[in-house]
Amino acid sequence: MMFSSIYSRGAVMAGMFLLAGRLPAQTKADYPIQPVAFTQVKLNDIFWEPKIRVNAEVSIPYTLAQCKKTGRIDNFLKAAGKLPGDNYTEFTFDDTDLYKVIEGASYSLQVKPDPKLALYLDSLIAIIGAAQEKDGYLYTFRTMKPAKPHDWIGSKRWEKEEDLSHELYNSGHLFESAVAHYQATGKKTLLNIAIKNADLLVKTFGYGREEKFPGHQIVETGLTKMYRVTGKKEYLDLAKFFLDVRGPGRANSQQYNQADKKVVDQHEAVGHAVRAAYMYTAMADVAALTGNEEYLHAIDDIWHDVVYRKLYITGGIGATGAGEAFGDAYDLPNMSAYAETCAAIANVYWNNRMFLLHGDSKYIDVLERTLYNGLLSGVSLSGDRFFYPNPLASLGQHQRSAWFGCACCISNMTRFLPSMPGYIYAQKENHLYVNLFVGDTAEVQLPAGKVKLVQQTNYPWEGSDVITMLSQTKAPFALHVRVPGWTNNEPVPGDLYAFDGGVAKPVKISLNGQSVNYKMEKGYAVIERAWKKGDKLEVLFPMEVQRIVAQEKVKADLNRFALSRGPVIYCLEGPDNKDSAVQNIVVDKSTAVQVAYKPELLKGVTVLEMQGSSTKRQLNSDELLKVSQSVVAIPYYAWANRGPGEMEVWIPYNEAAARPKPAPTVASRSKVTASVNNPRMFRALNDQYTPQDSRDASASYLHWWPKKATTEWVQYDFDSSHTISSSQVYWFDDGPWGGCRVPVSYTIYYKSGDAWLPVENTSPYTISKDGYNSVQFKPVATTALKLELKLPDDNAAGIHEWIVK
Ligand SMILES: [Zn+2]
């Protein structure tokens, strides 16, 4: 598109800032397309409304309570001098969890008034205000203990901002929260705190003053939001400065924080995925607000790099846990997929901005895929258990947690879900975009007049979407109905994934029961007419079950396919399948698949049923036992709600890709204990999963990090007495960057009565990486075996697998 067309003026702002009349709404250049604010959209939806209700009724109160319980609120009270003590919580960005949950609660209040919650937010905002220093500085970790701050904080303000202090990250979330609170409640209490802080940043940062870039991006989008609400141009200028000041030649210029190159010279997605996607979002904002074309070129290229090379089929981004970062092109491992929940949320923010710039439905295709899969998987159906990484395969080592020391994903989820209705519609002059198919009633002011419409649908389970006009406008307008790429043989834009065989049936569109003429424009069916009250547009999406294959370069998905139906990606999970096992399942790609809606299962899901086969190893033979069985797939977002177990998205269609279910062994039937506090790690020892090498984080492992130089142990208790004469152990070692190395030494003991005696080894104890270390010993008849190891002086150690025979 021509760049000049990204400018638009005046009227379209009305949608976004309906409530901003209390401050002068700025009418400068902005996105050519404007979102229809979630406040103008009232949900009546079978899928999203219950999830947003659980967020309001469970997740938000729960997260607020956790902020109290973990000391995050006390951080503010201590900084304000209202609570004795100067011991802060764990991370220098802990203040942001409170900001984010206030943002979520504010949105939630607007959907459903709750005077008690409103009052509680007021009290929290008063505490935040009290913790703010006179000149606007707001950062509890320094204020409560200026003389001896946290290791990540310099002795002077901003000194370690580019590294780990997160001072500007805290400001960014404060700004986002303050704007949401103001727009939702009309109260300026939090906004005034944010303005005071933003004014301090304006005074402090800039060329010739503090020339520093934010270590973790978010302050940039926070500032563009503050600019829109207050009209203060210096906030926008500062957002642009924070982008432009990134670049090579500084002490902290790294790929990790997207500062190895100037932002306009960046054309590939690198480094920490959440930081990156927040930055791309900010670049879109500043491009829209200032007309900067160079930013656009950069983020267009980066989008291409992500979608064509670095995107999980679930919409997850950031493949590797090392640096929580984008991996190399096509390197998309499944079991060790990081795909942080925050990165999925950031991916939605970014793709929505790309759509508002370009008006192309391909961005919403990515947004929708992310929303229904890799984002929604971040929270349990109950609303109080969470995933930080969102893997695409599991042996049961992944479970949702009630909390994380680093709670970013939890508070991010609380603020995202209530804002979700804001992604359904968008508008530009007399064009109204329908981007998502969600049951709702919406009111949108167009130049042609006020449009009131209702969407009725059982999407994503059924393909019918009926849009009924409840109003009549004085002039015609164009309805742009998104025709998802997945109805047109593209699981997501680009060539990273494709549907295997089978051309999708076309979308059917009818108006008042008659076929209707429409033109296709940038992925939208455009119907322009003088809409009358009562007009009914029915869109019928083909809800075919599709098999997705990945490009060959994606090694992790070789000989495998994924199942999708509409926007939903499916997975196999233990509870629905024979022997609670799924890694051993093989399904022929041409197998017929039955579709069934199960109202009682996982709060109501459509499942897929098919015939497949599974393989098992036998104890005394190399021959695999193969049986045919029925195979059930559930929506990926709903996995891990029934306890730990196996899961996989990419299903082998070839036996070479499947992992036969191992035969039970003495070890696999043992009860595991170890000198670690986390019993979740126990099953790694005897899960019979052999890693590719010692550093293979895809396989589960047990570790003693961050201990050093101690003596530790693992123990097998057998169901009865067994005669054992050998041990094979596979060490975990994630050097040179990780904290685990092979141990200094180890010894095997067996239980004799109440005593532990060392075995008499007949071969030497070896310690090497990337393979099993075997030791033979004189046979012992025993009920328990113990492996004792000594950690290196400077590192911990870990074990992938321990076999005894
Ligand atoms: Zn996170």
Side-chain angles (χ1 to χ4, degrees):
M1 59 173 272
M2 292 297 294
F3 186 72
S4 59
S5 68
I6 78 157
Y7 286 87
S8 70
R9 305 199 177 257
V12 291
M13 297 302 298
M16 205 167 175
F17 297 108
L18 204 68
L19 284 156
R22 299 173 186 93
L23 279 177
Q26 62 86 26
T27 55
K28 303 258 167 42
D30 207 328
Y31 286 102
I33 302 174
Q34 287 290 310
V36 172
F38 72 92
T39 50
Q40 290 162 260
V41 182
K42 193 166 173 11
L43 289 199
N44 177 18
D45 187 63
I46 58 148
F47 189 84
W48 286 106
E49 200 189 353
K51 291 177 176 38
I52 293 171
R53 196 182 321 124
V54 167
N55 186 64
E57 290 174 1
V58 180
S59 310
I60 290 175
Y62 174 79
T63 307
L64 280 167
Q66 285 292 113
C67 281
K68 179 68 201 163
K69 190 173 151 195
T70 57
R72 281 164 168 77
I73 294 171
D74 289 350
N75 283 345
F76 287 91
L77 286 167
K78 288 171 190 168
K82 289 175 188 288
L83 196 70
D86 58 5
N87 52 325
Y88 31 60
T89 52
E90 191 175 2
F91 292 109
T92 55
F93 45 78
D94 284 346
D95 291 356
T96 63
D97 292 317
L98 189 61
Y99 298 148
K100 280 186 273 182
V101 68
I102 290 175
E103 182 176 341
S106 303
Y107 287 148
S108 179
L109 276 181
Q110 197 161 34
V111 178
K112 197 174 159 227
D114 178 345
K116 215 173 127 201
L117 178 62
L119 219 58
Y120 185 52
L121 293 194
D122 288 345
S123 73
L124 291 174
I125 291 166
I127 294 169
I128 294 168
Q132 186 169 36
E133 297 189 20
K134 271 204 176 67
D135 65 353
Y137 188 73
L138 180 48
Y139 183 64
T140 63
F141 274 51
R142 185 189 303 283
T143 304
M144 89 171 76
K145 201 178 191 177
K148 240 181 132 195
H150 190 281
D151 282 351
W152 291 5
I153 302 175
S155 56
K156 289 196 296 276
R157 287 180 181 181
W158 331 111
E159 192 182 325
K160 293 192 179 176
E161 170 52 40
E162 292 184 354
D163 191 11
L164 284 168
S165 77
H166 291 80
E167 280 151 293
L168 292 172
Y169 178 75
N170 283 272
S171 289
H173 275 301
L174 169 68
F175 301 162
E176 300 232 331
S177 178
V179 169
H181 181 256
Y182 166 65
Q183 290 185 330
T185 64
K187 292 179 193 169
K188 287 189 193 164
T189 44
L190 191 56
L191 184 64
N192 285 336
I193 294 169
I195 288 173
K196 215 168 144 188
N197 185 253
D199 288 345
L200 175 71
L201 301 188
V202 168
K203 256 188 266 167
T204 307
F205 289 91
Y207 295 109
R209 285 172 282 159
E210 284 281 5
E211 287 187 21
K212 288 208 162 88
F213 63 78
H216 190 317
Q217 299 88 327
I218 190 73
V219 72
E220 303 85 348
T221 51
L223 283 165
T224 60
K225 288 183 179 178
M226 291 285 285
Y227 161 65
R228 288 198 182 93
V229 163
T230 64
K232 286 193 179 184
K233 170 97 175 359
E234 50 276 34
Y235 296 163
L236 173 60
D237 295 341
L238 185 60
K240 186 164 187 307
F241 166 80
F242 280 142
L243 291 169
D244 292 342
V245 76
R246 306 190 93 80
R250 313 176 59 85
N252 287 292
S253 300
Q254 302 161 31
Q255 272 202 350
Y256 169 75
N257 54 22
Q258 298 82 34
D260 58 320
K261 293 177 182 163
K262 296 200 77 61
V263 295
V264 294
D265 296 331
Q266 298 189 24
H267 300 281
E268 288 180 10
V270 295
H272 190 276
V274 180
R275 294 169 199 236
Y278 283 165
M279 185 177 88
Y280 309 148
T281 305
M283 287 167 74
D285 274 359
V286 176
L289 292 163
T290 66
N292 185 310
E293 256 181 277
E294 282 185 299
Y295 283 3
L296 267 192
H297 292 317
I299 51 176
D300 283 347
D301 287 352
I302 294 168
W303 185 88
H304 190 274
D305 180 52
V306 171
V307 174
Y308 283 66
R309 290 186 276 268
K310 297 174 182 169
L311 182 74
Y312 282 105
I313 191 60
T314 53
I317 55 171
T320 172
E324 306 188 317
F326 284 104
D328 292 335
Y330 310 109
D331 190 8
L332 295 163
N334 291 312
M335 205 176 291
S336 65
Y338 204 66
E340 182 179 340
T341 302
C342 284
I345 291 173
N347 202 25
V348 166
Y349 291 153
W350 179 32
N351 275 281
N352 189 51
R353 302 312 211 273
M354 296 300 281
F355 158 74
L356 298 174
L357 280 171
H358 294 298
D360 195 309
S361 72
K362 67 183 179 184
Y363 303 108
I364 306 297
D365 287 345
V366 178
L367 185 155
E368 186 188 58
R369 206 47 105 187
T370 310
L371 188 61
Y372 282 87
N373 302 287
L375 185 155
L376 198 50
S377 58
V379 60
S380 68
L381 300 174
S382 59
D384 59 357
R385 291 291 181 276
F386 306 88
F387 269 138
Y388 193 118
N390 292 272
L392 282 78
S394 184
L395 293 170
Q397 73 270 44
H398 307 96
Q399 290 175 58
R400 294 171 200 277
S401 294
W403 192 249
F404 308 108
C406 169
C408 55
C409 296
I410 298 173
S411 51
N412 230 351
M413 186 62 82
T414 65
R415 76 171 180 145
F416 176 79
L417 279 178
S419 75
M420 177 271 159
Y423 298 93
I424 301 173
Y425 300 100
Q427 65 183 108
K428 177 191 180 182
E429 293 150 14
N430 277 327
H431 301 267
L432 177 60
Y433 292 84
V434 182
N435 275 332
L436 299 176
F437 312 108
V438 179
D440 70 79
T441 307
E443 284 187 26
V444 188
Q445 185 66 48
L446 298 180
K450 191 175 186 180
V451 180
K452 190 170 181 192
L453 55 78
V454 60
Q455 262 198 83
Q456 290 165 293
T457 183
N458 288 332
Y459 195 89
W461 310 131
E462 292 171 25
S464 163
D465 186 44
V466 179
I467 299 169
T468 308
M469 292 295 162
L470 302 180
S471 61
Q472 190 144 348
T473 49
K474 49 187 188 290
F477 69 92
L479 199 64
H480 294 237
V481 179
R482 177 173 148 258
V483 176
W486 55 259
T487 67
N488 205 18
N489 287 321
E490 265 195 345
V492 284
D495 60 2
L496 190 52
Y497 303 103
F499 289 131
D500 184 71
V503 177
K505 288 179 187 159
V507 174
K508 279 188 201 151
I509 301 180
S510 59
L511 179 66
N512 300 326
Q514 310 283 314
S515 68
V516 61
N517 283 331
Y518 60 87
K519 57 179 176 182
M520 284 301 298
E521 223 176 80
K522 292 188 173 181
Y524 291 87
V526 183
I527 302 135
E528 185 169 9
R529 69 192 305 267
W531 292 93
K532 289 199 244 355
K533 194 173 174 178
D535 275 351
K536 257 190 200 330
L537 188 80
E538 183 169 15
V539 187
L540 202 58
F541 299 108
M543 285 291 170
E544 309 286 299
V545 176
Q546 300 272 19
R547 290 145 186 91
I548 300 171
V549 289
Q551 212 189 88
E552 268 178 28
K553 289 175 186 160
V554 185
K555 296 265 183 311
D557 302 338
L558 271 183
N559 294 317
R560 294 168 182 266
F561 69 100
L563 287 164
S564 69
R565 184 170 175 272
V568 177
I569 298 292
Y570 280 77
C571 70
L572 307 182
E573 197 187 16
D576 311 297
N577 290 288
K578 187 170 179 283
D579 298 336
S580 298
V582 305
Q583 307 284 338
N584 61 338
I585 289 175
V586 177
V587 177
D588 194 283
K589 272 195 287 182
S590 60
T591 300
V593 178
Q594 267 77 48
V595 176
Y597 183 72
K598 305 266 181 188
E600 304 302 323
L601 184 66
L602 300 164
K603 298 204 172 183
V605 290
T606 293
V607 302
L608 307 181
E609 297 165 342
M610 67 215 90
Q611 278 300 307
S613 60
S614 64
T615 51
K616 257 189 201 177
R617 289 200 185 285
Q618 304 179 78
L619 267 185
N620 299 311
S621 157
D622 284 341
E623 200 185 323
L624 291 177
L625 269 182
K626 187 173 168 182
V627 292
S628 65
Q629 67 174 81
S630 67
V631 176
V632 174
I634 60 158
Y636 168 74
Y637 76 81
W639 87 280
N641 281 289
R642 295 172 290 180
E646 293 194 10
M647 182 277 289
E648 73 183 356
V649 170
W650 291 95
I651 306 164
Y653 58 78
N654 185 322
E655 266 172 42
R659 173 179 177 259
K661 189 174 170 62
T665 60
V666 175
S668 77
R669 291 194 309 258
S670 299
K671 176 175 168 260
V672 183
T673 47
S675 57
V676 293
N677 288 329
N678 184 354
R680 280 191 197 182
M681 293 197 288
F682 292 172
R683 61 176 288 128
L685 287 192
N686 63 350
D687 63 8
Q688 303 191 62
Y689 190 97
T690 298
Q692 301 216 311
D693 52 40
S694 280
R695 58 179 307 182
D696 180 3
S698 283
S700 55
Y701 54 90
L702 179 149
H703 68 81
W704 284 272
W705 189 84
K707 287 185 181 172
K708 292 173 185 172
T710 50
T711 297
E712 306 293 341
W713 54 269
V714 296
Q715 182 177 325
Y716 281 158
D717 282 282
F718 308 140
D719 45 4
S720 59
S721 179
H722 286 277
T723 300
I724 310 290
S725 61
S726 78
S727 150
Q728 292 171 273
V729 59
Y730 204 122
W731 305 111
F732 174 74
D733 182 320
D734 58 356
W737 308 114
C740 290
R741 301 292 183 277
V742 293
V744 175
S745 62
Y746 78 102
T747 311
I748 309 283
Y749 294 86
Y750 70 100
K751 199 167 193 182
S752 171
D754 285 337
W756 286 102
L757 304 175
V759 297
E760 285 181 53
N761 56 309
T762 54
S763 72
Y765 282 106
T766 59
I767 297 180
S768 62
K769 288 200 286 188
D770 305 332
Y772 281 103
N773 289 255
S774 297
V775 61
Q776 311 297 321
F777 44 86
K778 286 193 178 153
V780 290
T782 183
T783 56
L785 221 54
K786 184 157 82 168
L787 184 159
E788 202 175 85
L789 68 159
K790 189 159 173 0
L791 306 191
D793 285 348
D794 299 325
N795 282 290
I799 299 176
H800 270 299
E801 193 71 26
W802 183 29
I803 298 168
V804 297
K805 278 177 187 163

